[in-house]
Amino acid sequence: MFECREPIAFYDGQLLPADEVAIPFWDLAYAQGVGIVEQVRTYGGRLPLLEYHLSRLQRGLRRLNLDDGRVLDAIRFNIDVVAKQNHEQLPSGSDLGICVVFSAGSVTAFVPASVDLSATLQPKVLIHSFPLPFAYWKDEFRRGVRLATTTICEIPKESISHEFKHRNRLHYYLAQQEVDHRNPGCRPVLATQDGLVADSTTAGILIFRPQVGWVAPMREHALHSVTVEVVEALAMAAGIGFARRAIGFDELESASEVICCGTPTGPLPAIELDGRPIGGGRAGPQYATLAQLWSERVGLDFRQQALAIADL
């Protein structure tokens, strides 16, 4: 293993101290947002959901015609190296978020004459990590997530597929700015072009319906969320039920329970939409059941972990 007493990263085929990573301005992912991305997290230093994330990453690589089993194997190996070494440097009980950025190459016109052009045209992979900021999320773990609607819509699938994650996040940034001005402390929920529920800026959205179970937006309406996919598997195995269909904002507001499904936090209850309470305005019994199933799946009580670290 690469030896370093500081956090490490993997970039352009080598492991190096994280603070030495430098992405050139001609890189396609930086200059034009042409990059496939994935975010993973550790649970107790382990990566129990890694293969879900790699499967979604591979879908993105296929879309860019860059699917190569050797590339995916190298990413898998180096995620594990970065996770193990950087987790050892965390305070006890903490965990990591791990980001993978796959750049398709460079903007040829931007490359200086002094740089070897042929080398810049090759795809580049960056893998880096960060300590999960549980203190930042403590109110959401204690009480739940506050949501707000926004005039910003999700990118239609006809433009960019929802099957994978990519670097184009300007619409999320604009949505958060709008909501911060009107409803500080809330997460935006974006709509499709037809006014149906898509995603929040940081998580997939699920509602609970009796006799049905957890309901997710149709795949063509929202990002193919790994957390939602795992919730689906857990709910079906437990006999709770799971479905995918179009969800209107009136149904989101009237649901007995709503959850936000994001990789860094895991599933969290949503308690409010545009200042009005969802359900009883607090986490409900279906969420409690799901949170227990999630904890068993990842091998630790993820809510207890977050609150314990946040209170340090």
Side-chain angles (χ1 to χ4, degrees), residues 27-86:
D27 183 272
L28 264 172
Y30 169 78
Q32 296 184 354
V34 183
I36 304 301
V37 302
E38 198 58 56
Q39 187 172 168
V40 193
R41 69 154 285 181
T42 62
Y43 286 92
R46 295 171 295 101
L47 295 160
L49 306 179
L50 177 60
E51 294 306 316
Y52 283 93
H53 290 280
L54 292 180
S55 178
R56 184 171 62 180
L57 179 64
Q58 187 173 39
R59 294 196 294 270
L61 297 180
R62 287 173 180 165
R63 184 65 184 87
L64 291 182
N65 298 314
L66 295 169
D67 183 21
D68 183 329
R70 293 171 298 176
V71 171
L72 204 66
D73 286 343
I75 291 173
R76 179 187 288 106
F77 176 82
N78 285 290
I79 286 176
D80 189 61
V81 172
V82 170
K84 285 181 177 177
Q85 186 144 328
N86 290 354

Side-chain angles (χ1 to χ4, degrees), residues 136-189:
Y136 179 76
W137 299 318
K138 65 181 179 181
D139 287 342
E140 294 183 334
F141 272 97
R142 285 198 179 105
R143 301 179 184 89
V145 180
R146 298 168 56 224
L147 299 174
T149 54
T150 172
T151 62
I152 305 297
C153 292
E154 180 58 275
I155 298 173
K157 66 179 179 62
E158 289 80 9
S159 297
I160 303 178
S161 171
H162 299 314
E163 290 185 310
F164 54 86
K165 296 184 79 169
H166 49 81
R167 260 297 186 223
N168 296 276
R169 288 291 183 265
L170 180 58
H171 60 310
Y172 284 177
Y173 182 85
L174 295 174
Q176 189 65 63
Q177 277 195 325
E178 180 185 300
V179 166
D180 285 344
H181 179 72
R182 187 181 75 245
N183 287 24
C186 292
R187 295 192 194 184
V189 181

Side-chain angles (χ1 to χ4, degrees), residues 24-310:
F25 60 79
W26 55 84
D27 183 272
L28 264 172
Y30 169 78
Q32 296 184 354
V34 183
I36 304 301
V37 302
E38 198 58 56
Q39 187 172 168
V40 193
R41 69 154 285 181
T42 62
Y43 286 92
R46 295 171 295 101
L47 295 160
L49 306 179
L50 177 60
E51 294 306 316
Y52 283 93
H53 290 280
L54 292 180
S55 178
R56 184 171 62 180
L57 179 64
Q58 187 173 39
R59 294 196 294 270
L61 297 180
R62 287 173 180 165
R63 184 65 184 87
L64 291 182
N65 298 314
L66 295 169
D67 183 21
D68 183 329
R70 293 171 298 176
V71 171
L72 204 66
D73 286 343
I75 291 173
R76 179 187 288 106
F77 176 82
N78 285 290
I79 286 176
D80 189 61
V81 172
V82 170
K84 285 181 177 177
Q85 186 144 328
N86 290 354
H87 189 269
E88 291 176 355
Q89 301 175 41
L90 293 177
S92 177
S94 296
D95 265 307
L96 291 169
I98 301 172
C99 297
V100 181
V101 182
F102 191 100
S103 171
S106 65
V107 182
T108 304
F110 291 179
V111 180
S114 58
V115 175
D116 179 5
L117 181 61
S118 62
T120 72
L121 298 178
Q122 299 303 310
K124 302 289 189 294
V125 178
L126 167 65
I127 302 171
H128 68 91
S129 72
F130 61 96
L132 290 173
F134 291 122
Y136 179 76
W137 299 318
K138 65 181 179 181
D139 287 342
E140 294 183 334
F141 272 97
R142 285 198 179 105
R143 301 179 184 89
V145 180
R146 298 168 56 224
L147 299 174
T149 54
T150 172
T151 62
I152 305 297
C153 292
E154 180 58 275
I155 298 173
K157 66 179 179 62
E158 289 80 9
S159 297
I160 303 178
S161 171
H162 299 314
E163 290 185 310
F164 54 86
K165 296 184 79 169
H166 49 81
R167 260 297 186 223
N168 296 276
R169 288 291 183 265
L170 180 58
H171 60 310
Y172 284 177
Y173 182 85
L174 295 174
Q176 189 65 63
Q177 277 195 325
E178 180 185 300
V179 166
D180 285 344
H181 179 72
R182 187 181 75 245
N183 287 24
C186 292
R187 295 192 194 184
V189 181
L190 279 68
T192 67
Q193 302 293 315
D194 297 325
L196 298 168
V197 174
D199 289 310
S200 84
T201 54
T202 57
I205 300 292
L206 296 180
I207 67 173
F208 188 82
R209 285 300 186 195
Q211 286 79 55
V212 178
W214 290 107
V215 180
M218 298 167 64
R219 289 190 181 276
E220 54 262 45
H221 291 169
L223 174 71
H224 292 199
S225 162
V226 164
T227 306
V228 170
E229 189 175 353
V230 177
V231 168
E232 178 179 7
L234 295 173
M236 296 302 290
I240 296 170
F242 186 94
R244 294 180 185 271
R245 59 172 172 78
I247 300 174
F249 278 84
D250 56 343
E251 191 174 15
L252 178 63
E253 185 175 347
S254 64
S256 59
E257 295 188 41
V258 176
I259 58 173
C260 296
C261 296
T263 290
T265 61
L268 290 176
I271 59 169
E272 177 186 303
L273 178 65
D274 287 336
R276 295 181 293 274
I278 294 172
R282 58 183 179 275
Q286 296 299 331
Y287 172 72
T289 297
L290 178 62
Q292 179 61 37
L293 293 172
W294 187 273
S295 295
E296 292 170 1
R297 175 65 178 82
V298 300
L300 59 78
D301 187 328
F302 72 105
R303 294 177 298 169
Q304 183 182 59
Q305 176 199 33
L307 292 174
I309 297 297

